[in-house]
Amino acid sequence: MRKVFLFSFIFLLLFSFPLEGQRISGIDVLGYGRKLFDEEFYKIALMEFKQFLSDNPRSDEAYIAQYYIGECYFIMGDYEKADEAFLILTARYPDAPNVILGWEGRGKCYEKMNDFKKAAGVFETAGNFFFYKGDAASPFFLYAGRDYLKINNIGKAKENFLRIIDNYPGGNEAYEAIYELALIRLGEGDINTALKEFEKVKYVSEMPDIAGRARFYSGRIYRGIGDLKKSEYEFLQVIEKFGNDKNLLVNAQLNLGITYLKGNAPRKARDILENVIQVENLPDSLKIRGMIVIGESYFYEMNYTESIFQFEEIIKKFPNSTMMGEVFYRLGICFEDEGSYEQAIYNYRRSVEYMPGEGGFSDFQRRALDKLIR
């Protein structure tokens, strides 16, 4: 009797718990897959999520597995399969708590594949879907607007940004949409409207990146319309309040130097720009622009020798830059003003003949050509 009881007890122990390699229950498979995902074992996690759906197609948590299938493919770089998985999520589980992530995932897949037209279409469709459900759609309209800009569909971009501003005023996406619209107005040459739009967002303290850039562009606009005091103020505000953004900080310092030069303060311009061009890992375009303005500052003081030296240093250090047409032109102006006409003509010709790749004929090269044929 004791032997029978002992045998029965051992039998229960063996078959009441999963043996090594034996599949655990459906819910545990889902949890196990999520743990694998968190530990970045994406291929194995993908197998677990697929197995969960195969074993539990009508589970109340099927939408979770479907989302993670898309995420695994996305992280592994298979954007077509990721899009297919996210499409199933949005179509089969439209009321799932994570369906918003499915729509976002689809748009991001097309962005990764550089198909911004399809990305914009997906985001706009998602925006409409959530808008008519009464849910927050503004992030999707913002995504759509930005992707339409990438394919130069300005009309559709404006349409999406305006939907945010009209339907979700005061939100973060609304301020971002106003900022994007301001950039569009600036590109269209509608400076007054652009300035008004930038004014609306440059005081939004909870969005320092947008506020700082709005002030930066305001400074450039004020300089363009000749209000150098306001231009200086805006750039100084950027430098003082938004210094954590190194790229924005350097651009503000560079533009402050240009504003000082326009205000006939060459020494102040030079003082700030000599520090700017020493910044580590500064892009060549910014370093060249800083050196050009330093050269101009000496030109303003009629110190042609030092001005010529600065421009020749740029030519030595950056001979293949697309900005060489401008540098040769400015070098020609220096030689012309000091009376070295042969050197002036030589550099004007260098400017006109410099055609970097498909960069086209710049305004400075046209000015050089006018000098030669007048």
Side-chain angles (χ1 to χ4, degrees), residues 124-137 141 163 168:
E124 189 170 20
T125 301
N128 289 327
F129 173 77
F130 289 107
F131 179 78
Y132 291 115
K133 280 186 66 177
D135 295 332
F141 290 134
R163 289 190 72 178
Y168 306 96

Side-chain angles (χ1 to χ4, degrees), residues 63 66-67 85-94 96 98-99 101-102:
Y63 68 90
Q66 189 62 51
Y67 163 71
F86 289 134
L87 176 59
I88 292 172
L89 173 60
T90 58
R92 191 173 294 172
Y93 312 101
N98 65 351
V99 71
L101 299 177

Side-chain angles (χ1 to χ4, degrees), residues 9 36 67 70 86 119 135 138 147 160 174 176 190 192 206 210-211 217 246 248 285 294 301 312:
F9 180 70
L36 288 168
Y67 163 71
F86 289 134
D135 295 332
S138 53
D147 280 335
N160 279 274
E176 291 189 64
D190 189 352
N192 290 330
E206 63 268 26
I210 297 293
Y217 282 109
K246 298 302 181 184
L248 182 62
S285 60
I294 290 172
E301 295 171 339
E312 288 180 339

Side-chain angles (χ1 to χ4, degrees), residues 215-240:
R215 282 196 176 277
F216 172 78
Y217 282 109
S218 295
R220 292 184 62 172
I221 292 173
Y222 282 127
R223 185 177 65 227
I225 61 178
D227 194 335
L228 300 181
K229 285 291 185 184
K230 285 186 178 179
S231 177
E232 177 187 7
Y233 174 77
E234 294 293 354
F235 292 132
L236 286 172
Q237 287 291 298
V238 174
I239 294 167
E240 178 185 336

Side-chain angles (χ1 to χ4, degrees), residues 50-302:
K50 285 185 174 182
Q51 185 64 48
F52 176 83
L53 285 180
S54 176
D55 295 343
N56 306 276
R58 292 185 175 83
S59 168
D60 290 341
E61 295 186 295
Y63 68 90
I64 299 175
Q66 189 62 51
Y67 163 71
Y68 276 106
I69 289 172
E71 276 294 288
C72 286
Y73 278 127
F74 187 89
I75 292 171
M76 293 189 297
D78 193 337
Y79 302 118
E80 289 186 0
K81 287 187 178 179
D83 177 53
E84 290 174 7
F86 289 134
L87 176 59
I88 292 172
L89 173 60
T90 58
R92 191 173 294 172
Y93 312 101
D95 297 317
N98 65 351
V99 71
I100 188 171
L101 299 177
W103 281 106
E104 184 178 10
R106 291 202 66 207
K108 295 298 181 184
C109 285
Y110 284 118
E111 287 182 337
K112 286 289 188 180
M113 293 186 283
N114 292 318
D115 192 338
F116 296 107
K117 183 177 181 180
K118 283 188 177 179
V122 166
F123 286 136
E124 189 170 20
T125 301
N128 289 327
F129 173 77
F130 289 107
F131 179 78
Y132 291 115
K133 280 186 66 177
D135 295 332
S138 53
F140 290 104
F141 290 134
L142 188 63
Y143 289 145
R146 286 173 172 164
D147 280 335
Y148 277 126
L149 283 179
K150 291 173 184 174
I151 59 174
N152 205 34
N153 191 335
I154 306 301
K156 290 291 288 183
K158 286 181 179 178
E159 180 183 317
N160 279 274
F161 294 142
L162 286 171
R163 289 190 72 178
I164 300 170
I165 295 166
D166 292 342
N167 293 287
Y168 306 96
N172 286 354
E173 286 85 7
Y175 288 120
E176 291 189 64
I178 292 170
Y179 173 79
E180 296 288 356
L181 275 177
L183 291 178
I184 292 173
R185 308 294 189 197
L186 189 59
E188 293 173 336
D190 189 352
I191 294 172
N192 290 330
T193 303
L195 192 57
K196 289 177 183 177
E197 302 289 358
F198 286 132
E199 286 288 330
K200 294 177 184 177
V201 297
K202 69 183 188 182
Y203 298 105
V204 184
S205 58
E206 63 268 26
M207 300 185 70
D209 54 336
I210 297 293
R213 282 181 272 153
R215 282 196 176 277
F216 172 78
Y217 282 109
S218 295
R220 292 184 62 172
I221 292 173
Y222 282 127
R223 185 177 65 227
I225 61 178
D227 194 335
L228 300 181
K229 285 291 185 184
K230 285 186 178 179
S231 177
E232 177 187 7
Y233 174 77
E234 294 293 354
F235 292 132
L236 286 172
Q237 287 291 298
V238 174
I239 294 167
E240 178 185 336
K241 296 181 178 180
F242 305 98
N244 290 333
D245 186 335
K246 298 302 181 184
N247 185 56
L248 182 62
L249 173 64
V250 169
N251 273 284
Q253 291 171 326
L254 176 60
N255 276 270
L256 179 60
I258 295 171
T259 296
Y260 284 145
L261 189 63
K262 295 291 183 184
N264 201 27
R267 183 66 213 181
K268 288 179 74 174
R270 198 157 58 242
D271 286 345
I272 193 168
L273 291 172
E274 284 175 347
N275 290 323
V276 171
I277 64 173
Q278 300 302 321
V279 173
E280 289 186 12
N281 302 317
L282 187 68
D284 287 351
S285 60
L286 295 182
K287 183 167 286 190
I288 293 169
R289 178 56 58 199
M291 293 175 73
I292 286 174
V293 179
I294 290 172
E296 283 187 276
S297 73
Y298 284 116
F299 179 83
Y300 270 59
E301 295 171 339
M302 294 187 290

